[in-house]
Amino acid sequence: MVSAQPAARPVLRKTTAGVVASAVLALTLAFSGTASADELDDRKAAIEAEQQKVQETYEYLDAETSRKVAELAIYQQQLPGAQQALADAEGRVSAAAGKVSALTDRVALAQETRNTIAAQIQQDQAAMDDTEEVIGQIAAQAYKSGGVPSSFSLMLGADGADSLTDSMGLAEQVLRNQNAAMQQLSQQNATNVNSEARLAAVEEEISNLKAQAEAALVLEQEARDSAAAEKAKVDALIEQTAAANAALEARKPVIQAQLASLETAKAKATADIAERQRALLEKARKEEEARIAEANRRAAEEAARNNRPAPVAEVPSVTPTNPSAFGLSHPVQASISSGFGWRATPPGSIDFFGTGGYLHSGIDFAASCGTPVYAPAAGQVYRADQGQPDGMIGTGNRVVLDHGVIGNSALATNYYHLTSFVVSVNQWVNAGQLIGYVGTTGNSTGCHLHFETVLNGALVDPMGLL
């Protein structure tokens, strides 16, 4: 048993780590002025998760490019939310400013009411002073005349009926004036007390309104600060989206050339397997024809000895064997994170192939690095390398098993991104035998096993054989 070449992995790991570290540093610097540490951590995690999706979509895209694609996708995803947050913040500014304006108007109205009440109190106080002066004059006059005489004294002191009538009339007038003045004073005093109570209430209202207005001003400023921060985020996202898009557009020709080269290499690798399978199928066909010819010859000899017509066995028609006849088991114990089939290019991202998507030619098992990988069926090791013979450098450490021919079908299985392998070319392995360990070598952003099946020269969905 042979393990993978030990010198290649440290170099690859160092290169990948350097690219990712540079990308993370650039991302951190880009957002350091507009986002908190938690937001940066969340965004970093989102980009890493998106990068894994990108790597699944564009299977052999290099780590730096896949991260740029992921950044662009995340920026585009976050921009609408940031714009909505900015709109919400601007709405809060408008609401806060409206509240401040309303409170200012209420304070002005309350102050106007206070001034009106204060003026009324001064007016009432002046009226009370006048009334008190009248009462004082009445009292002084009564004192000078010995007080207001009683009805009996008026009768004794009168010289006649006319004199009595005049005296009594004068006394009643004095009393009426005095009572009216006292009543007026009492009413003015009550009005004044009520006005002072109203003034105290208005003063308290003004104090409360001013406190509310000051608090509203603080909230308005906070809303304006928040809006400014949200606008900075939106501006940064727009700038970073444009920069990421421009960078990818600038690199698009180079990336397309790289991917075209990888597609060519992948097609060659599959064609090599297909040619091997064609030869195996041809060999199996000839062996079957030879077996039938030999059976016919022996049957003819037997018929001649027994003097009867010889039966002729016909070559069976060529129909594909049911794939389940190979009896594949799962090569690793893990859930499937990505299936076989067409992957549409995400809206707004770079369509590197110009076809609107990409064929994910296998399935990905979400297994951690170091998880054992077992042969799903018996077969011969066709490849155990790092993809160099076919130019498939994006596969990292890989193993290809040739499971031979059953009936009219030939099957091979591919295992990519291994940490290491423990088999060698041309070695025979049995079903369930250890062949390597899950890793993240080659163009991979996380530990997983990429598993492919080649049936009769064509890549097919492994789920139809497992």
Side-chain angles (χ1 to χ4, degrees):
M1 297 194 300
V2 180
S3 62
Q5 302 167 6
R9 284 187 59 221
V11 174
L12 180 62
R13 180 175 295 172
K14 181 178 179 181
T15 302
T16 303
V19 169
V20 172
S22 299
V24 171
L25 177 59
L27 180 66
T28 303
L29 291 175
F31 279 96
S32 60
T34 59
S36 67
D38 289 342
E39 287 175 326
L40 287 174
D41 289 341
D42 292 343
R43 188 175 287 114
K44 177 175 176 290
I47 287 177
E48 289 175 351
E50 185 67 24
Q51 185 179 7
Q52 181 64 39
K53 293 179 183 178
V54 171
Q55 201 71 57
E56 291 170 0
T57 300
Y58 303 106
E59 189 177 351
Y60 301 115
L61 208 60
D62 64 90
E64 182 179 0
T65 302
S66 65
R67 187 167 189 88
K68 283 296 181 185
V69 174
E71 288 177 9
L72 176 59
I74 290 298
Y75 296 157
Q76 290 173 329
Q77 291 170 18
Q78 292 181 338
L79 185 55
Q83 290 172 328
Q84 183 59 53
L86 173 57
D88 293 343
E90 289 174 342
R92 290 193 294 273
V93 169
S94 178
K99 187 172 183 179
V100 169
S101 177
L103 285 168
T104 301
D105 291 343
R106 290 179 62 188
V107 168
L109 180 61
Q111 288 175 333
E112 182 179 344
T113 302
R114 177 190 62 186
N115 294 339
T116 300
I117 294 173
Q120 185 63 46
I121 288 175
Q122 290 180 350
Q123 182 178 346
D124 291 344
Q125 186 61 51
M128 288 174 62
D129 292 343
D130 291 343
T131 302
E132 288 176 349
E133 184 178 354
V134 170
I135 292 173
Q137 290 174 353
I138 293 173
Q141 186 61 38
Y143 177 77
K144 290 178 181 179
S145 60
V148 179
S150 64
S151 297
F152 182 70
S153 62
L154 287 174
M155 291 175 64
L156 293 177
D159 294 332
D162 293 337
S163 176
L164 177 60
T165 300
D166 292 340
S167 297
M168 291 182 65
L170 178 60
E172 289 176 359
Q173 182 63 36
V174 171
L175 287 174
R176 280 196 302 270
N177 290 341
Q178 186 176 5
N179 290 338
M182 293 297 293
Q183 185 176 3
Q184 182 178 354
L185 180 61
S186 177
Q187 290 175 348
Q188 289 172 340
N189 184 63
T191 300
N192 198 45
V193 169
N194 182 58
S195 296
E196 289 178 348
R198 288 177 58 204
L199 180 61
V202 170
E203 291 284 3
E204 183 178 359
E205 181 185 9
I206 290 172
S207 177
N208 291 335
L209 287 173
K210 284 184 176 179
Q212 292 179 42
E214 290 175 0
L217 281 170
V218 171
L219 292 176
E220 180 188 9
Q221 188 57 50
E222 290 176 354
R224 292 188 185 279
D225 292 342
S226 176
E230 295 298 338
K231 186 177 187 306
K233 291 178 184 178
V234 169
D235 291 344
L237 281 171
I238 291 174
E239 181 180 350
Q240 288 149 358
T241 298
N245 188 71
L248 286 173
E249 285 289 354
R251 295 185 63 189
K252 188 175 180 179
V254 176
I255 295 169
Q256 286 178 319
Q258 291 174 343
L259 291 175
S261 176
L262 288 169
E263 282 295 292
T264 300
K266 185 175 181 180
K268 180 181 182 300
T270 304
D272 287 345
I273 295 174
E275 177 58 27
R276 180 183 176 90
Q277 290 180 336
R278 186 199 64 75
L280 289 173
L281 286 168
E282 180 65 15
K283 179 182 178 182
R285 185 186 66 79
K286 288 181 177 180
E287 288 177 350
E288 181 64 12
E289 288 179 351
R291 185 190 66 78
I292 292 174
E294 177 64 17
N296 285 339
R297 186 188 64 78
R298 290 181 180 180
E301 290 177 353
E302 180 67 21
R305 284 195 298 269
N306 295 323
N307 195 25
R308 65 172 183 266
V312 178
E314 296 181 358
V315 177
S317 60
V318 180
T319 56
T321 306
N322 188 338
S324 63
F326 288 94
L328 294 187
S329 59
H330 284 229
V332 67
Q333 295 301 311
S335 61
I336 296 173
S337 59
S338 182
F340 176 93
W342 184 257
R343 297 287 184 273
T345 302
S349 64
I350 302 297
D351 182 8
F352 296 107
F353 297 98
T355 57
Y358 175 83
L359 176 66
H360 189 240
S361 55
I363 60 176
D364 292 338
F365 288 94
S368 58
C369 284
T371 302
V373 180
Y374 302 100
Q380 187 178 33
V381 178
Y382 177 50
R383 300 285 191 197
D385 53 37
Q386 294 176 322
Q388 303 96 325
D390 306 314
M392 294 280 287
I393 56 174
T395 66
N397 295 327
R398 71 165 177 176
V399 168
V400 179
L401 296 183
D402 179 0
H403 299 286
V405 175
I406 295 180
N408 297 312
S409 291
L411 177 68
T413 52
N414 302 330
Y415 310 81
Y416 296 163
H417 311 307
L418 301 173
T419 294
S420 62
F421 46 80
V422 295
V423 293
S424 57
V425 175
N426 295 326
Q427 177 183 342
W428 181 264
V429 296
N430 296 315
Q433 182 174 330
L434 179 69
I435 61 174
Y437 299 93
V438 172
T440 183
T441 57
N443 288 343
S444 170
T445 56
C447 299
H448 73 288
L449 173 67
H450 178 80
F451 176 64
E452 294 181 343
T453 49
V454 183
L455 182 67
N456 296 333
L459 287 161
V460 298
D461 187 354
M463 296 306 297
L465 289 91
L466 292 172

